């Protein structure tokens, strides 16, 4: 979900009878739940698809700092500010773990960043929505990070070792994100009528963008099959979305807020909540670059990269000078 | 790209006298900055009391293809484990 609509670098699913002996051995390892490690043999398509998926996931972590960073200076108390600062710092760390995992596949971090800045790689659609009031910050932690956890817990079992290890680290920290968000929104839902109204408004606005994070419905998700066979996708979009809805509805009810979708209803027969489809045309529009904040987010990322260039270059020049001096002294 | 900071591997020793353990990697212009960054990224929740960093290009590693010849020979040497030897109960704990 932090990675959406990843095109598998191959049409259809590799058939066993068409596989080379190397690929057959590779697929056997995956089927036996043995992790693939950086220097192991792997099909080029597996490598390319993983770079796209992990790269997009990393970009999402980094761009995801922007909507929340927006509220650091305006947090209601010093404690909330410290908590939000810690959360945003975690997101930078998550970006780093994921870029590192992508680098083990032979792609440089600078190249991934360049592709993002040129609009040739994407980040999750959710970060193209604005955070309009403090309740949004609570809702982002609770709903957006909550949705991320559902996806990332599944990905801990992914076949590529470095990706799986990054997911394990991230999930440990992500739980803090969801809980601090719910805690913040609890305060508002149980606060003054005006605060409760803001909490309701945040849930109403962010609900559908949050459930869109899992990507299009399985019927329209054409690239999944090979990724599933490679175990770089572990559960289907609809499975993950259902899991998220089932765990989140009781949390909304506990807050005493109205459900953001009149279609949400417990289905005794299925043992799950029914819910309405989001407006998928909005989703595809946001992905295409027409969401409320797409232009802003990318501009901010590019500006941060360009404005920081002199620091990166300066530190490198200093390090090289120091190293040269040390050699001269020896 | 030519201006990219080099890659460093980070090793952290946890609280309880364990040895340093690989936790991840990062980019930094030099060793001092690598340690500072490692502290910020990898020890924010009491994960460690000591940090080692080493530039990734200095690490030598076994090749995946050598796994068999290197590690399989020990599989058949069960007598290297204490549980291989039955010691009568009368002897007591050993």
């Amino acid at each position: 979900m932090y990675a959406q609509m990843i095109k598998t670098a191959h049409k259809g699913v590799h058939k066993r009878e068409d596989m080379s002996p190397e690929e057959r051995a590779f697929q056997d390892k995956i089927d036996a739940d043995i992790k693939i490690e950086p220097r192991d043999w792997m099909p080029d398509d597996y490598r390319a698809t993983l770079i796209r998926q992990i790269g997009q996931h990393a970009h999402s972590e980094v761009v995801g700092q922007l909507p929340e960073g927006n509220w650091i200076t305006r947090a209601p108390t010093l404690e909330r500010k410290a908590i939000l600062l810690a959360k945003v710092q975690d997101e930078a760390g998550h970006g780093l773990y994921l870029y590192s995992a992508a680098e083990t596949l032979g792609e440089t971090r600078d190249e991934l960043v360049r592709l993002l800045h040129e609009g040739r790689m994407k980040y999750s659609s959710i970060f193209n929505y604005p955070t309009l009031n403090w309740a949004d910050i609570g809702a982002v932690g609770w709903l957006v990070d909550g949705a991320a956890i559902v996806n990332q817990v599944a990905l801990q079992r992914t076949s590529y070792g470095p990706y799986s290890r990054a997911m394990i680290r991230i999930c440990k920290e992500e739980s803090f994100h969801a809980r601090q968000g719910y805690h913040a929104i609890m305060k508002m839902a149980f606060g003054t009528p005006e605060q409760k109204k803001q909490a309701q408004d945040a849930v109403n606005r962010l609900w559908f963008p949050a459930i869109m994070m899992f990507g299009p419905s399985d019927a329209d998700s054409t690239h999944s099959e090979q990724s599933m066979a490679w175990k770089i996708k572990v559960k289907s979009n609809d499975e993950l979305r259902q899991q998220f809805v089932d765990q989140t509805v009781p949390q909304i009810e506990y807050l005493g807020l109205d459900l953001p979708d009149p279609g949400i209803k417990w289905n005794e027969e299925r043992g799950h909540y029914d819910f309405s489809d989001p407006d998928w045309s909005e989703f595809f529009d946001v992905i295409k670059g027409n969401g409320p904040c797409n232009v802003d987010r990318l501009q901010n990322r590019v500006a941060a990269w360009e404005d920081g260039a002199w620091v990166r270059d300066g530190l490198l020049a200093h390090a090289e000078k120091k190293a040269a001096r040390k050699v001269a002294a020896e | 790209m030519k201006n990219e900071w080099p890659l460093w591997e980070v090793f952290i020793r946890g609280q309880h006298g364990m040895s340093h353990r690989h936790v991840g990697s990062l980019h930094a212009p030099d060793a001092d900055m690598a340690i500072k960054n490692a502290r910020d990224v990898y020890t924010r929740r009491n994960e460690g009391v000591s940090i080692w960093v080493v530039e990734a290009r200095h690490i030598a590693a076994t090749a995946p293809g050598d796994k068999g010849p290197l590690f399989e020979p020990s599989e058949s040497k069960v007598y290297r484990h204490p549980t291989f030897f039955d010691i009568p109960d009368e002897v007591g704990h050993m």
Side-chain angles (χ1 to χ4, degrees):
Chain A
M1 70 81 261
Y2 264 29
Q4 298 159 321
M5 314 259 314
I6 298 298
K7 262 206 186 105
T8 305
H10 181 83
K11 282 208 181 90
V13 182
H14 294 217
K15 289 203 192 74
R16 196 166 177 85
E17 55 266 33
D18 301 337
M19 288 180 185
S20 65
E22 279 161 319
E23 183 170 3
R24 219 167 290 160
F26 165 85
Q27 190 62 49
D28 288 344
K29 265 165 89 177
I30 290 184
D31 294 343
D33 282 327
I34 297 170
K35 298 278 184 242
I36 306 300
E37 295 297 339
R39 295 169 67 204
D40 291 345
W41 185 91
M42 61 185 86
D44 292 344
D45 298 344
Y46 174 85
R47 183 186 301 273
T49 309
L50 263 180
I51 289 172
R52 271 184 219 162
Q53 179 173 331
I54 300 173
Q56 192 188 108
H57 198 153
H59 297 328
S60 298
E61 301 286 354
V62 172
V63 177
Q65 295 177 102
L66 296 170
E68 295 185 294
N70 184 31
W71 280 87
I72 289 173
T73 55
R74 290 178 285 162
T77 67
L78 184 59
E79 190 183 54
R80 291 284 172 200
K81 183 178 185 159
I83 291 167
L84 184 57
L85 208 51
K87 179 186 188 298
V88 172
Q89 193 188 8
D90 275 354
E91 304 298 358
H94 295 180
L96 174 72
Y97 308 155
L98 286 159
Y99 283 126
S100 300
E103 283 178 290
T104 63
L105 292 160
E107 186 66 298
T108 68
R109 184 173 71 184
D110 279 9
E111 175 62 10
L112 291 169
V113 169
R114 191 176 66 83
L115 291 171
L116 172 71
H117 291 178
E118 289 177 358
R120 291 162 60 197
M121 279 186 89
K122 304 216 179 296
Y123 52 87
S124 174
S125 58
I126 188 72
F127 302 117
N128 291 312
Y129 291 86
T131 44
L132 302 177
N133 65 47
W134 175 252
D136 287 19
I137 296 303
V140 165
W142 164 39
L143 298 175
V144 175
D145 289 69
I149 291 171
V150 168
N151 178 59
Q152 293 173 151
V153 164
L155 279 176
Q156 290 181 26
R157 291 185 285 121
T158 192
S159 61
Y160 188 55
Y163 193 25
S164 158
R165 290 190 283 274
M167 286 298 106
I168 291 166
R169 274 195 84 83
I170 286 175
C171 283
K172 276 190 199 152
E173 301 183 346
E174 207 82 73
S175 163
F176 147 64
H177 298 177
R179 290 173 69 117
Q180 65 81 33
Y182 195 68
H183 194 260
I185 209 137
M186 260 167 56
K187 275 268 184 247
M188 299 199 64
F190 300 141
T192 65
E194 179 57 27
Q195 284 176 312
K196 188 174 177 183
K197 218 173 98 188
Q198 285 192 2
Q200 182 71 59
D201 173 56
V203 173
N204 290 350
R205 271 183 297 106
L206 286 165
W207 173 257
F208 282 111
I211 68 170
M212 286 181 203
M213 288 168 66
F214 300 97
S217 79
D218 294 348
D220 301 321
S221 184
T222 47
H223 312 298
S224 296
E225 234 177 307
Q226 181 61 63
S227 288
M228 291 279 220
W230 281 333
K231 293 188 187 164
I232 58 182
K233 188 168 179 158
V234 182
K235 285 186 178 180
S236 81
N237 295 354
D238 286 338
E239 264 179 285
L240 293 167
R241 189 169 10 252
Q242 183 70 60
Q243 195 184 329
F244 173 71
V245 171
D246 287 349
Q247 77 180 37
T248 308
V249 171
Q251 296 166 355
I252 302 175
E253 285 169 341
Y254 177 82
L255 295 171
L257 298 178
D258 296 332
L259 295 174
D261 162 18
I264 294 176
K265 213 188 292 158
W266 179 251
N267 183 327
E268 193 66 53
E269 208 175 299
R270 291 201 307 127
H272 293 291
Y273 284 96
D274 290 336
F275 56 96
S276 311
D277 261 342
D279 175 359
W280 287 116
S281 65
E282 176 183 315
F283 171 78
F284 289 111
D285 211 33
V286 172
I287 290 269
K288 249 185 258 154
N290 304 319
C293 300
N294 293 59
V295 174
D296 235 39
R297 299 287 187 243
L298 203 57
Q299 257 172 16
N300 278 321
R301 280 307 314 146
V302 172
W305 178 257
E306 286 175 356
D307 294 349
W310 68 275
V311 180
R312 293 193 301 275
D313 292 347
L315 284 172
L316 193 62
H318 176 69
E320 279 164 0
K321 205 168 77 180
K322 232 173 34 179
R325 216 178 277 154
K326 205 176 147 205
V327 172
E330 273 162 12
Chain B
M1 248 171 274
K2 72 174 176 32
N3 278 342
E4 195 165 30
W5 289 346
L7 189 68
W8 299 76
E9 299 300 333
V10 180
F11 302 80
I12 304 274
R13 180 163 63 216
Q15 306 276 358
H16 307 292
M18 306 296 279
S19 46
H20 286 74
R21 193 167 162 242
H22 183 244
V23 293
S25 46
L26 50 78
H27 288 271
D30 58 27
D32 290 344
M33 285 298 295
I35 287 174
K36 286 195 176 84
N37 290 348
R39 179 250 179 209
D40 285 347
V41 180
Y42 292 109
T43 65
R44 281 181 291 124
R45 291 182 174 83
N46 299 322
E47 289 95 334
V49 294
S50 166
I51 299 173
W52 288 350
V53 295
V54 60
E55 233 188 290
R57 66 188 172 97
H58 294 310
I59 292 182
T62 56
D66 294 341
K67 210 164 98 186
L70 286 176
F71 307 116
E72 270 165 23
S74 76
E75 280 172 20
S76 58
K77 297 175 177 58
V78 283
Y79 49 83
R80 290 180 177 176
H81 297 277
T83 46
F84 179 76
F85 304 93
D86 284 330
I87 303 290
D89 289 345
E90 296 94 287
V91 180
H93 177 74
M94 186 179 283

